[in-house]
Amino acid sequence: MSDRPHPFLIAVAALVYFFLMVPLVIVVGAALSDTTYLTFPPQGLSLRWFENIFEISAFRRTIVTSLQIAFLGTLIALIIGIPAAYALNRFRVELPKWLGTLFVLPILVPEIVFGFALLKSLTVGAGVPIFAALLIGHTLLVLPYVVRVISASLASFDFSIEEAAISLGSAPLKTFFTIVMPNVRAGVIAAFILAFITSLNDVSVSLFLTGPGISTLPIQILAHVEQFFDPTVASVSVLLMFLTVAVMAVVERTLGLTFLAK
Amino acid sequence: MTQPLDIHAVSAHYGTTKVLEDLSLSVQAGELVSLLGASGCGKTTTLRLIAGFLSPTSGSIKLGGRDLTRLPTHKRDIGLVFQNYALFPHLSVLDNVAFGLKQRGLGASDRRKSALAMLERVGLAPLAERTPGALSGGQKQRVALARALVIEPPLLMFDEPLSNLDAKLRVEMRVEIRQLQRANGTTSVYVTHDQEEAFSISDRVAIMNAGRLMQFDRPEVLYRQPANTFVASFVGFENIIPFTVVGREGETVTAETAGMRLRLSQNAFGAIPDTFLLATRADGLMVSTDPAAEGIPAQLGLRTYLGRAYQYQCETAAGHLVANGSLTAPLDPGTGVKLVPVPEQCSILMPDEAR
């Protein structure tokens, strides 16, 4: 084994990065174009399409809604998902096997079917208000990710550590917060990021659950493209990209991202 | 401080499977008792019942005057040392050791002082600020030991504490554990599947099988006088031969197995019942070429060299037996000999009652 990676490996890695980055570069380029239609390479440089986002009230509203839904949905999913993942791992032997699969079902069902089912049951069936229905939908959408990621983290957690703490006089609930949680922190953060971004970028489920007056950003982008072909969509996409990057950056600055490499 | 442990008629189930049946066991104050047996024998279940991680279906567990049976684990005040150390990975060595003291409401400076003193005793004070990840297996187990001892529990329990260590360290650590346990006089329960480990550090050993206690005694007694065929074969009695008494003449008993007769003296072997099993290690059957010797006729098979003796695989009318012969006169396979039981190496067992 030599220290330097094989040239072929470098070439493949470079290609992967190339294909990952090029669409982003094109979108950023198009967003900066001075033209009234989408084009690449940009003709003239302007930030006016970014300003235009905030002049269109529908974009302003949906950005706020999307962030609210993503944050609250992820939070609720964590509140449900962490104990669920804990129970699934702690009592793996005692609990029936299908219980773990149950939490993954929303991923297995095509999102479009999932969205339609929620529309039929929540909005039409139970008359749940739009915002609440969106929140429930997104919570269910991200719950599988939360349970999976935290389960993966708990799978390598040795529960005798928890037993050791309890034997030393720490009550079980207290032990969960002082011993178990600090050791699956990386999993919780990863789950948060994954869930937040999944919710923020979701189209299929939101498509069915949005309604008059309340919509999410991706749905608004779709609606906008149907009517206008100006670079606003490109600039909104760039904004969405930067929101995602911002989430990662905040996490990186406060907690460190090295765990993702584990 | 040190207290006796009393397990009375405890049974336990996993679902519908009975894993422990009517176990009674008393550990005296300051005594170290090992629970010894193969995996699935119920030894770990017993430990987990005492710790409170499992609840018995019936019976009671008392420590000193306290009834532990329905008490939650965190109120039992028991020091536990785990097989995989179970140190808190996110805390320093010092904070690991101080954890139990913190739960007992000790102030930060007192905690630090006691924890450091305990680390000093296990020789790890210089590593107090490290995290467990930076320690070797032996060091981790010392920290685990310090963490369990520092709360001065009335009962200390070990769950296969040395099985993840290499052989040399295992021997060192068991001496260390025994010394610390002796010095503190802490009543201890030690779970292991390693017979040598159990015999070497315990005051008494409980040999378990299939959820039952087979024999509970000092290692010397278990090794020499197993009470039943299970314990006999567990402690290495290769030869267990069934006999029926066909005649008694004073203290001399004539017993028969597979058509062969053997005269045994009750003066040498102790009281011999009408049907019995003669159990012995290879040491307890001497190979004799004297045709007049009072022994079991045998045909020698494979010879192996043990250092202190030659060992022979032997074919007899009573089946396959293992016997030792002297170093001075190695015998070839196929030789016809007599296998003479050495009384002090043999145990007379009652046939196991049908269970």
Side-chain angles (χ1 to χ4, degrees):
Chain A
M1 288 280 285
S2 67
D3 287 353
R4 291 180 60 83
H6 195 275
F8 178 73
L9 213 58
I10 297 174
V12 170
L15 269 178
V16 168
Y17 274 105
F18 184 76
F19 283 115
L20 281 175
M21 298 308 284
V22 162
L24 303 182
V25 172
I26 291 177
V27 170
V28 172
L32 292 170
S33 179
D34 199 20
T35 54
T36 55
Y37 49 90
L38 275 170
T39 180
F40 187 86
Q43 293 165 17
L45 279 178
S46 160
L47 285 176
R48 68 184 174 113
W49 298 112
F50 282 93
E51 285 166 31
N52 193 41
I53 303 170
F54 297 97
E55 276 159 21
I56 301 170
S57 67
F59 275 120
R60 286 205 306 269
R61 277 202 317 272
T62 53
I63 288 172
V64 174
T65 308
S66 267
L67 288 175
Q68 283 174 332
I69 295 284
F71 184 76
L72 288 175
T74 300
L75 202 66
I76 298 171
L78 283 174
I79 291 170
I80 302 170
I82 293 173
Y86 171 82
L88 286 174
N89 283 277
R90 182 73 178 81
F91 305 107
R92 192 175 315 178
V93 184
E94 291 88 342
L95 289 173
K97 286 211 167 52
W98 54 262
L99 209 58
T101 319
L102 195 69
F103 282 94
V104 197
L105 276 182
I107 290 183
L108 299 180
V109 177
E111 276 188 38
I112 202 114
V113 175
F114 184 55
F116 180 66
L118 285 171
L119 173 74
K120 286 291 275 183
S121 56
L122 288 177
T123 318
V124 179
V128 175
I130 294 168
F131 187 85
L134 262 176
L135 187 56
I136 294 172
H138 278 236
T139 302
L140 292 176
L141 175 73
V142 301
L143 188 60
Y145 296 100
V146 169
V147 173
R148 289 299 292 207
V149 172
I150 296 176
S151 279
S153 197
L154 279 166
S156 59
F157 178 76
D158 177 3
F159 283 97
S160 61
I161 291 171
E162 188 190 24
E163 291 183 343
I166 294 174
S167 78
L168 289 165
S170 175
L173 190 64
K174 187 181 166 194
T175 305
F176 179 77
F177 287 106
T178 57
I179 298 296
V180 182
M181 285 303 282
N183 283 298
V184 294
R185 201 189 66 168
V188 173
I189 296 165
F192 182 90
I193 295 175
L194 196 60
F196 191 88
I197 292 170
T198 303
S199 168
L200 204 61
N201 295 334
D202 172 73
V203 173
S204 323
V205 172
S206 307
L207 202 55
F208 288 95
L209 299 178
T210 48
I214 299 179
S215 189
T216 63
L217 186 57
I219 302 301
Q220 172 58 27
I221 293 174
L222 270 182
H224 189 85
V225 173
E226 281 171 1
Q227 293 173 35
F228 312 96
F229 198 61
D230 60 30
T232 312
V233 280
S235 46
V236 173
S237 305
V238 172
L239 196 72
L240 201 54
M241 239 164 69
F242 277 102
L243 267 175
T244 307
V245 172
V247 172
M248 301 286 273
V250 167
V251 171
E252 158 71 32
R253 287 299 291 272
T254 51
L255 301 154
L257 269 184
T258 43
F259 66 86
L260 282 182
K262 274 185 196 169
Chain B
M1 193 71 240
T2 180
Q3 291 172 358
L5 173 73
D6 189 37
I7 301 170
H8 180 69
V10 162
S11 295
H13 293 76
Y14 275 128
T16 51
T17 327
K18 201 164 213 171
V19 285
L20 208 60
E21 205 170 330
D22 197 26
L23 178 86
S24 292
L25 194 75
S26 288
V27 183
Q28 290 162 23
E31 192 180 28
L32 193 156
V33 164
S34 283
L35 307 179
L36 175 66
S39 65
C41 73
K43 59 187 193 297
T44 300
T45 302
T46 307
L47 178 124
R48 295 180 68 78
L49 284 166
I50 303 170
F53 297 133
L54 293 173
S55 291
T57 23
S58 62
S60 71
I61 299 165
K62 288 197 179 79
L63 181 61
R66 287 189 302 153
D67 188 349
L68 298 185
T69 320
R70 301 285 161 219
L71 205 64
T73 301
H74 66 281
K75 291 182 180 159
R76 290 196 181 194
D77 202 17
I78 290 173
L80 261 169
V81 178
F82 293 82
Q83 175 174 2
N84 41 14
Y85 324 122
L87 298 178
F88 310 128
H90 61 300
L91 299 180
S92 71
V93 165
L94 186 74
D95 288 340
N96 263 278
V97 178
F99 186 86
L101 300 171
K102 192 174 179 183
Q103 310 310 317
R104 281 157 181 74
L106 249 74
S109 66
D110 287 346
R111 290 206 298 266
R112 194 185 156 77
K113 222 171 81 186
S114 303
L116 269 177
M118 198 64 229
L119 280 171
E120 192 76 54
R121 280 186 68 186
V122 296
L124 286 182
L127 303 182
E129 302 303 331
R130 300 249 183 112
T131 51
L135 303 183
S136 71
Q139 290 170 333
K140 283 181 187 167
Q141 200 52 288
R142 284 200 179 86
V143 175
L145 194 59
R147 183 178 67 178
L149 279 171
V150 77
I151 60 172
E152 295 178 9
L155 176 66
L156 195 56
M157 296 205 291
F158 300 85
D159 186 8
E160 307 245 5
L162 306 180
S163 48
N164 285 352
L165 303 177
D166 65 59
K168 188 169 169 287
L169 196 56
R170 214 154 43 212
V171 175
E172 283 173 30
M173 280 297 291
R174 78 184 184 214
V175 172
E176 208 165 312
I177 287 177
R178 180 58 161 161
Q179 280 167 344
L180 278 167
Q181 187 268 337
R182 270 279 169 81
N184 285 25
T186 313
T187 310
S188 300
V189 174
Y190 192 106
V191 165
T192 180
H193 65 272
D194 184 330
Q195 188 183 321
E196 185 191 309
E197 192 173 303
F199 280 19
S200 66
I201 72 166
S202 311
D203 293 304
R204 284 191 294 168
V205 176
I207 296 181
M208 297 180 69
N209 180 43
R212 287 163 174 273
L213 183 59
M214 301 312 288
Q215 193 173 357
F216 180 36
D217 216 318
R218 295 185 299 114
E220 293 86 340
V221 175
L222 293 172
Y223 195 76
R224 294 255 160 243
Q225 291 145 21
N228 47 54
T229 52
F230 178 82
V231 176
S233 56
F234 192 85
V235 298
F237 281 46
E238 292 106 328
N239 308 306
I240 298 176
I241 316 156
F243 279 98
T244 311
V245 172
V246 290
R248 290 178 188 271
E249 247 178 79
E251 286 304 302
T252 304
V253 171
T254 306
E256 191 183 69
T257 184
M260 301 171 312
R261 293 200 168 180
L262 197 65
R263 278 144 47 90
L264 304 166
S265 163
Q266 293 201 103
N267 293 327
F269 285 92
I272 296 174
D274 283 346
T275 59
F276 67 96
L277 301 160
L278 183 76
T280 174
R281 296 189 173 82
D283 281 334
L285 288 180
M286 268 317 285
V287 173
S288 171
T289 45
D290 176 5
E294 190 61 41
I296 303 162
Q299 194 85 5
L300 292 186
L302 184 72
R303 183 182 75 214
T304 50
Y305 176 62
L306 296 184
R308 60 195 154 80
Y310 283 113
Q311 187 160 91
Y312 298 93
Q313 306 297 318
C314 312
E315 292 311 322
T316 72
H320 181 87
L321 299 176
V322 188
N324 283 359
S326 89
L327 281 174
T328 48
L331 297 168
D332 292 326
T335 314
V337 295
K338 290 282 185 66
L339 304 179
V340 183
V342 184
E344 47 278 16
Q345 304 276 9
C346 294
S347 270
I348 303 293
L349 302 178
M350 295 289 286
D352 291 352
E353 299 97 57
R355 284 229 156 94

